[in-house]
Amino acid sequence: MSTPSGFDELIHPSTRLSVVALLAATEWADFSFIRDSLSLSDSALSKQLHTLEEAGYLEIRKEGGGRKRRTKVRLTSRGRTAFEGHVAALRAIVEGAGPTAAPTSSTEPAAKAATGERHQHHAEAGR
């Protein structure tokens, strides 16, 4: 299976995908809100934001000064388009996989037997 159009390698790593998904739901977000929402350290979040900013996916604004300084982040139109394309590509991948292989009534006993044999084997291995 080939990679669907719109799949974005830059956005795909879980931390960056989480950042972009969070930002897609808002106009602007404070650095601390993103950090706390995703349970990231300041340095880990800064690194991901920098990578996304270099790609033109984010705009970062620093407001105020001294102890009152706040960093605000938003998706650019390019970032929003990339995110939407990536989500569409992920959906295409998932839909292309088809429904999960749930046993049908005719194969259900065989599937249960195979599962039971595996569980029994693992239980015996732990003894």
Side-chain angles (χ1 to χ4, degrees):
M1 176 178 179
S2 64
T3 304
S5 173
F7 188 90
D8 193 310
E9 294 284 347
L10 184 74
I11 292 175
H12 191 67
S14 62
T15 301
R16 286 196 288 265
L17 182 57
S18 296
V19 167
V20 174
L22 185 66
L23 292 171
T26 186
E27 181 63 29
W28 286 92
D30 286 336
F31 180 93
S32 59
F33 173 77
I34 301 167
R35 178 197 63 213
D36 296 346
S37 295
L38 302 178
S39 300
L40 296 171
S41 67
D42 286 357
S43 61
L45 178 56
S46 291
K47 180 180 176 184
Q48 301 307 324
L49 294 180
H50 180 71
T51 299
L52 291 164
E53 182 184 35
E54 279 187 335
Y57 289 0
L58 300 182
E59 178 182 346
I60 299 174
R61 239 187 234 167
K62 301 199 183 262
E63 299 175 345
R67 298 189 82 142
K68 301 269 187 191
R69 187 173 185 132
R70 292 173 52 180
T71 300
K72 298 180 96 46
V73 184
R74 77 172 181 103
L75 278 180
T76 62
S77 60
R78 179 179 181 177
R80 192 167 298 277
T81 299
F83 174 67
E84 290 168 357
H86 189 67
V87 169
L90 291 175
R91 284 190 177 123
I93 291 169
V94 171
E95 290 168 2
T100 56
T104 62
S105 59
S106 62
T107 60
E108 192 170 335
K112 284 183 178 179
T115 304
E117 287 173 18
R118 259 184 299 192
H119 288 300
Q120 183 179 4
H121 176 71
H122 288 294
E124 289 172 2
R127 289 185 196 167

